[in-house]
Amino acid sequence: MTNSHNPEPLTRDNAAVVFVDNQVGLMTGIRDYSIADLKHNIVGLAKAATALGLPIVTTTTSSQTLWGPAIPELLEALPDQTFIDRTTVNAWDDPRVEEAIRATGRSKLIFAGLSLEVCAAFPAMRAVREGFEAYVAVDASGTFNMTKRETALTRLAQAGVVVADGASLMIEILADNASNQAGDVYSALGMDWSILVGQVRESA
């Protein structure tokens, strides 16, 4: 019997990443991470997912009237990506977003969104109800105060969503440090120490 909280590993063939509302206006209210750290984590997740060849879905909400465009750093990291702009609070409730997610053909969905308790949590919980396995990259999903963070984590766990940091999820997918993508993935995640270790090994 499979425990929904200990699912089969993420792989390049079963996983996709969904970035929800990583927008300038929402970023200004983040209080559980520094803005620099949060941007680093979001961009690192995007670059690592790209290096691994994972399907990526990106959305914004009310970008012209409320929360502004996606953060420039994410746009730069995903230059060929189309951001689906919508008005629904839950990204999954927009038929274009649901269609894009289903079109990935993947059964495991990694969500990263601003804010954690709404933009990441709502579609992740819906994904579970729709029969997907859902993950939230917490360190790429900031929020506005610690109460929101703590209650979001509790609610996600109650709903059967796996919570983790984005780097761990990407390294799980990498699976083998002998992979041709290993250097790109570790570099994308900003793990400079891993590059240094490699340099030491090469000079030995």
Side-chain angles (χ1 to χ4, degrees), residues 96-125:
R96 298 167 300 161
V97 176
E98 179 180 2
E99 181 181 359
I101 291 173
R102 292 187 182 278
T104 67
R106 305 304 173 88
S107 61
K108 297 174 180 283
L109 305 174
I110 300 168
F111 292 87
L114 303 183
S115 62
L116 168 65
E117 78 284 358
V118 173
C119 301
F122 286 5
M125 293 188 294

Side-chain angles (χ1 to χ4, degrees), residues 4 92 107 109 111 121-135 156 158-162:
S4 63
W92 197 288
S107 61
L109 305 174
F111 292 87
F122 286 5
M125 293 188 294
R126 175 67 181 275
V128 171
R129 293 197 297 272
E130 294 289 334
F132 293 83
E133 291 175 1
Y135 300 70
L156 286 167
Q158 291 169 339
V161 177
V162 178

Side-chain angles (χ1 to χ4, degrees), residues 82-195:
T82 298
F83 286 70
I84 303 170
D85 192 52
R86 62 182 208 288
T87 59
T88 61
V89 171
N90 186 340
W92 197 288
D93 289 341
D94 187 297
R96 298 167 300 161
V97 176
E98 179 180 2
E99 181 181 359
I101 291 173
R102 292 187 182 278
T104 67
R106 305 304 173 88
S107 61
K108 297 174 180 283
L109 305 174
I110 300 168
F111 292 87
L114 303 183
S115 62
L116 168 65
E117 78 284 358
V118 173
C119 301
F122 286 5
M125 293 188 294
R126 175 67 181 275
V128 171
R129 293 197 297 272
E130 294 289 334
F132 293 83
E133 291 175 1
Y135 300 70
V136 167
V138 177
D139 60 339
S141 304
T143 189
F144 311 124
N145 59 58
M146 293 308 296
T147 298
K148 289 181 178 294
R149 177 183 174 84
E150 291 165 4
T151 56
L153 294 176
T154 299
R155 189 177 186 192
L156 286 167
Q158 291 169 339
V161 177
V162 178
V163 294
D165 67 284
S168 295
L169 298 173
M170 293 298 101
I171 293 170
E172 180 177 336
I173 294 169
L174 174 65
D176 189 344
N177 286 321
S179 166
N180 291 334
Q181 288 75 44
D184 290 339
V185 170
Y186 285 118
S187 177
L189 296 171
M191 294 183 170
D192 296 336
W193 52 267
S194 67
I195 298 172

